[in-house]
Amino acid sequence: MEKLKQHAQEKSAEVKARRAGRFPLVESKLPARFPRTVSGIWSTVFTAIRGKDAVSQPYDHSENIVWLFDNVAYQQASPASSGEPQQWQVEVVACAFVRGHKDISKYIASVADFIGLDGKQGNNSEIQKRIEHRLRPLLYSVAPSLTMAIKIPSSSHKNCQVHNHGLGPTNSDGILSQTVSTPHRFTADRVTLTSHLVGSKNTVAMKTTFAAPEGWLVISDIDDSIKLTQTSDAVGILRTTFAEEPRPIEGMPEFYKFVEKQLQPVWVYLSASPYNLYQFLREFLNTYYHPGTLILRENSWHDLGGFLKSYSMGTQAYKADRIDKIHSWLPQRKVLCVGDSTQSDPEAYAELYRKYPSWIHAIYIRKVTNIPNMDEKNADSRFEKAFDGIPRNVWSVFERPEELYKLVDELRINDITA
């Protein structure tokens, strides 16, 4: 279903870019896989026949791997007459897999071959282990129809009351997304609390950042906006994702520290990367950037080539849909959007500005010049067309983050004097 949806959402510019970046060729040569165990297949079939709760199974730490995604808590607008703050809500996202160690040597060899790790370099044990470590989450068997519970603390105090919330079941891709109300009433903006998965011996956790209705919000892309990924080239994505240590874009960590100091925003990172890379990307963000909510594409692929489609097919529609959801959480915040020219960030951000012009206050697009197949994407005419009708002081295209410091200062001054 997701594959058909992506094909339907694919833009003509994406078709052209995929050909230039050799995506169809590389995807066709990567080995196929099947993401579910036999029991998972039958679970999905019986779920469809007998109803979603008929074959649900509870989380078992010895049999399942579960990731809880960090998230943001928000308050719906209070009725003017109530005088009481609304309860906090949070969308809990979790993905579940089946424990087990499969032989993935053919996948490692395939990726190594594509990125040129042959001969002496290909025998480097450190690189081989890195490829295996990064690949394995994409090859996990998913756990559909799994239920679980989380325990949410009522405060940051050590001995505070804890509230349990039941979740699930997971869908056929092993994913659940469920909105829950938290036990908090009076919580300061940007306070962070940690919740745990019941039965995980506190090894599975999520961090929730509480976002007051008003203030600044940064919505940032990741790949080639703040992390080197080479999104325009299929082999480049494989190399930077699986074989190399992740590298931040030069100057962006320092710039984001400046944004944090000047605007004190809530941070949301929005990427078209598949959710299987959550642990990898979360570790990268926590190393180089301010922690925040990480939103990834909720796909489970039947072939490794589908991993590349996540970056290159239907990205504008996907990002517009997720930003719409973020707006539903925090419609009164002032938004700064940061993206780049490799995908459809200019078009997606422009689409949402036209929809919510009083919500988005600034759009910064990094012109990516150090990777192949970017001439047309970096053309001035592309940006002029994308931002047609949008005030020129709202959007900026930059090559070096040093160009943006003055713009952020102006945002802060305008905020103070408004």
Side-chain angles (χ1 to χ4, degrees), residues 320-321 323-325 327 348-360 390:
D321 176 74
I323 296 172
D324 247 332
K325 176 176 282 190
H327 176 266
Y349 291 157
E351 178 182 340
L352 270 295
Y353 177 87
R354 295 186 182 98
K355 194 171 184 178
Y356 308 116
S358 62
W359 187 56
I360 296 178
I390 296 177

Side-chain angles (χ1 to χ4, degrees), residues 101-166:
H101 291 280
K102 297 181 179 179
D103 180 11
I104 64 170
S105 56
K106 70 175 181 179
Y107 302 100
I108 297 172
S110 178
V111 171
D113 182 56
F114 264 111
I115 62 182
L117 293 180
D118 52 4
K120 184 177 180 180
Q121 187 179 15
N123 291 326
N124 186 305
S125 60
E126 182 179 346
I127 296 177
Q128 294 283 353
K129 288 179 180 177
R130 186 181 301 143
I131 295 175
E132 179 180 3
H133 178 69
R134 303 262 179 83
L135 263 178
R136 192 167 288 281
L138 278 88
L139 303 171
Y140 283 152
S141 295
V142 300
S145 301
L146 196 72
T147 60
M148 62 194 76
I150 54 172
K151 46 186 179 181
I152 302 177
S154 58
S155 73
S156 58
H157 298 298
K158 185 176 181 180
N159 297 319
C160 68
Q161 187 177 3
V162 174
H163 299 256
N164 284 10
H165 289 266

Side-chain angles (χ1 to χ4, degrees), residues 248-269:
I249 299 298
E250 184 178 356
M252 290 303 287
E254 294 78 11
F255 173 63
Y256 273 31
K257 286 180 182 177
F258 181 76
V259 173
E260 166 66 19
K261 179 181 178 181
Q262 295 298 90
L263 303 182
Q264 297 186 339
V266 167
W267 295 84
V268 174
Y269 298 93

Side-chain angles (χ1 to χ4, degrees), residues 144-335:
S145 301
L146 196 72
T147 60
M148 62 194 76
I150 54 172
K151 46 186 179 181
I152 302 177
S154 58
S155 73
S156 58
H157 298 298
K158 185 176 181 180
N159 297 319
C160 68
Q161 187 177 3
V162 174
H163 299 256
N164 284 10
H165 289 266
L167 301 174
T170 54
N171 64 16
S172 60
D173 287 328
I175 301 171
L176 67 81
S177 176
Q178 187 171 324
T179 300
V180 301
S181 296
T182 76
H184 312 90
R185 285 287 181 179
F186 301 96
T187 302
D189 187 37
R190 306 207 316 155
V191 165
T192 299
L193 292 178
T194 300
S195 304
H196 292 90
L197 180 67
V198 174
S200 70
K201 303 176 182 178
N202 288 344
T203 60
V204 181
M206 69 181 192
K207 289 186 177 180
T208 298
T209 300
F210 288 78
E214 297 183 354
W216 280 94
L217 166 66
V218 173
I219 300 176
S220 173
D221 176 54
I222 296 176
D223 299 298
D224 291 313
S225 295
I226 61 175
K227 171 188 169 293
L228 179 64
T229 304
Q230 297 187 328
T231 314
S232 64
D233 180 67
V235 175
I237 292 174
L238 294 177
R239 181 184 299 110
T240 58
T241 301
F242 299 116
E244 297 179 354
E245 290 291 355
R247 288 177 285 166
I249 299 298
E250 184 178 356
M252 290 303 287
E254 294 78 11
F255 173 63
Y256 273 31
K257 286 180 182 177
F258 181 76
V259 173
E260 166 66 19
K261 179 181 178 181
Q262 295 298 90
L263 303 182
Q264 297 186 339
V266 167
W267 295 84
V268 174
Y269 298 93
L270 173 61
S271 171
S273 299
Y275 75 94
N276 312 69
L277 294 182
Y278 177 75
Q279 300 282 18
F280 167 59
L281 292 175
R282 184 178 186 271
E283 181 179 353
F284 167 78
L285 291 172
N286 289 344
T287 300
Y288 294 103
Y289 296 98
H290 196 282
T293 298
L294 175 55
I295 300 176
L296 301 176
R297 218 159 185 175
E298 297 175 2
N299 297 331
S300 185
W301 301 106
H302 293 255
D303 59 88
L304 198 54
F307 160 76
L308 293 173
K309 291 184 177 74
S310 185
Y311 292 90
S312 59
M313 186 180 291
T315 59
Q316 180 179 339
Y318 157 73
K319 289 191 174 182
D321 176 74
R322 293 304 184 270
I323 296 172
D324 247 332
K325 176 176 282 190
I326 297 169
H327 176 266
S328 73
W329 300 339
L330 301 166
Q332 296 172 261
R333 285 255 169 179
K334 301 180 181 73
V335 179

Side-chain angles (χ1 to χ4, degrees), residues 27 42 47 51-52 66 90 93 167 228 255 261 273 345 412:
E27 290 162 2
W42 286 113
T47 297
K52 71 175 185 178
V66 169
V90 60
V93 176
L167 301 174
L228 179 64
F255 173 63
K261 179 181 178 181
S273 299
D345 292 344
R412 183 172 182 272

